[in-house]
Every structure is written in C-alpha cells, then in structure tokens.
C-alpha cells in the first residue's frame, strides 16, 4: 500500500495484485464493507480486470451465482446482503443520456460503474474512483481515489487488510 498526498489535493491508495484471485479478494473486502449508496467507478482497458473486480465485490456482498460483463445491458442488478448494481455504460449511444442513474447511486445498494467517463457529468460527487492498469503477466495496479470521508474510511480499511501491497 502506498499513500501519496498530491499537492494537498486528493490522497490516493495503490494496491497491486498478481492474480485474478488476489483481485477478487481485494474487492471482496470492499463488498463486505458495503453500505447503501456506495458508488465505485472502475476504469481500465479491456482485460484490465474490471469485471473480475466486480465479481469479488459480489462475493463480499454475498451474491449467489455468477456475475458477468453486462454486455448488452447497461445495468444489471444482483441481490446480496445489499443489492449490487453493476453498470457498464460502454455502449451507451448518447453520451450524457440520463437513464435515471441517481435511483441507483442514491439507492439502497452498492453501485459499480465500468467506463464511468461515458457518464462523467452524472456521477455523484462522493464516490471512489478506481483505475486499473496492467503490468507484466498477471500484475495489475489499482489506484483508488476516494472523494468524501466515507470512501477515505473504506480505503484505510482496505489498506489495513491488504498491507502487503
Ligand atoms: N491480477 C489480475 N486481476 C484481474 N484479472 C486478471 C489478473 N491477472 C490476469 N487476469 C485476467 O485478466 C482478465 C480480466 O478480464 P475482465 O475482468 O473481464 O476485464 P475487464 O472487465 O476490465 O475487461 C481475465 O481473463 C483474468 O483472468
Ligand atoms: Mg468488463
């Protein structure tokens, strides 16, 4: 775990994983801490691990069954201890089109958004942005930027549970 204070601006938290299982365990920690109205965004190229990460969240939330990329659907809902709302807005025709996202963002579950830049204007100001980059082989770097105290607490907790990073 690395914690950088950027010019008195946003603190970021960096985690490195070396397998899909490690990515899922990292995400599972977050799923277990989920509270209604939590919003996470996931950015990264195809194959970075956005959906794998979401599968870990689902496990932490106690969602039974399989979570896949919502290829032809923009939003998929899964029932766990809290609902998980999985959005993949990559194929949204009209950038900025409002499909009632606030119902999810401020709803009773955890929302995770793949390709958040497609709906940048509509994202809630309090959220955690996660950027994934590929390294050699199975290495993936996750940079978390928390906006708001709720997400700072979450990041600190993950850092405590995954100190080896
Ligand atoms: N450390 C890792 N974390 C996540 N995925 C990994 C990792 N190493 C290898 N992979 C592989 O990379 C792919 C990630 O795919 P996926 O999660 O669907 O990405 P995305 O949703 O970003 O397109 C999977 O085939 C997975 O097995
Ligand atoms: Mg995906």
């Amino acid at each position: 775990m690395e914690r950088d204070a950027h010019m008195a601006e946003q603190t970021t938290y960096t985690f490195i994983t070396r397998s899909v299982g490690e990515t899922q365990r990292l995400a599972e920690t977050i799923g277990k801490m989920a509270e209604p109205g939590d919003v996470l965004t996931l950015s990264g190229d195809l194959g970075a691990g956005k959906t794998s990460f979401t599968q870990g969240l689902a496990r932490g939330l106690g969602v039974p069954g399989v979570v896949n990329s919502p290829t032809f659907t923009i939003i998929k809902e899964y029932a766990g201890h809290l609902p998980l709302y999985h959005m993949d807005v990559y194929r949204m025709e009209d950038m900025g089109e409002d499909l009632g996202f606030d119902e999810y963002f401020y709803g009773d579950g955890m929302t995770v958004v793949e390709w958040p830049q497609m709906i940048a204007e509509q994202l809630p100001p309090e959220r955690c942005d996660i950027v994934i980059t590929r390294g050699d082989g199975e290495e993936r770097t996750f940079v978390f930027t928390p906006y708001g105290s709720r997400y700072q607490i979450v990041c600190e907790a993950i850092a405590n549970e995954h100190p080896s990073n």
Side-chain angles (χ1 to χ4, degrees):
M1 208 284 300
E2 205 176 286
R3 194 166 177 250
D4 315 297
H6 290 297
M7 312 174 76
E9 287 288 324
Q10 215 55 51
T11 302
T12 63
Y13 297 77
T14 300
F15 303 93
I16 293 171
T17 71
R18 292 181 180 82
S19 68
V20 65
E22 264 189 61
T23 291
Q24 289 173 340
R25 282 191 290 281
L26 176 66
E28 187 176 355
T29 303
I30 303 166
K32 283 185 176 151
M33 296 181 63
E35 286 184 2
D38 277 352
V39 177
L40 310 175
T41 74
L42 291 174
S43 301
D45 295 338
L46 280 172
K50 301 181 294 298
T51 297
S52 302
F53 186 92
T54 305
Q55 289 164 349
L57 291 174
R59 199 196 295 164
L61 278 159
V63 172
V66 186
V67 172
N68 291 314
S69 267
T71 310
F72 296 107
T73 344
I74 287 175
I75 303 167
K76 271 198 191 173
E77 302 188 23
Y78 298 90
H81 307 307
L82 297 178
L84 173 65
Y85 305 124
H86 186 196
M87 296 185 186
D88 186 334
V89 292
Y90 183 64
R91 282 173 193 78
M92 269 186 51
E93 305 261 311
D94 259 322
M95 227 163 104
E97 185 184 0
D98 190 346
L99 299 176
F101 296 118
D102 279 0
E103 301 264 331
Y104 296 94
F105 296 148
Y106 298 99
D108 49 10
M110 168 177 265
T111 304
V112 55
V113 187
E114 295 193 32
W115 301 99
Q117 65 270 30
M118 299 296 289
I119 57 164
E121 307 279 288
Q122 297 172 66
L123 295 171
E126 299 226 339
R127 61 179 195 269
C128 188
D129 286 342
I130 302 170
V131 177
I132 313 172
T133 49
R134 289 175 79 143
D136 287 340
E138 304 203 336
E139 188 178 286
R140 301 287 189 275
T141 301
F142 292 78
V143 178
F144 286 56
T145 308
Y147 296 97
S149 55
R150 157 77 186 142
Y151 301 99
Q152 229 139 17
I153 291 165
V154 171
C155 284
E156 290 287 343
I158 313 163
N160 287 331
E161 289 228 9
H162 299 269
S164 58
N165 284 294

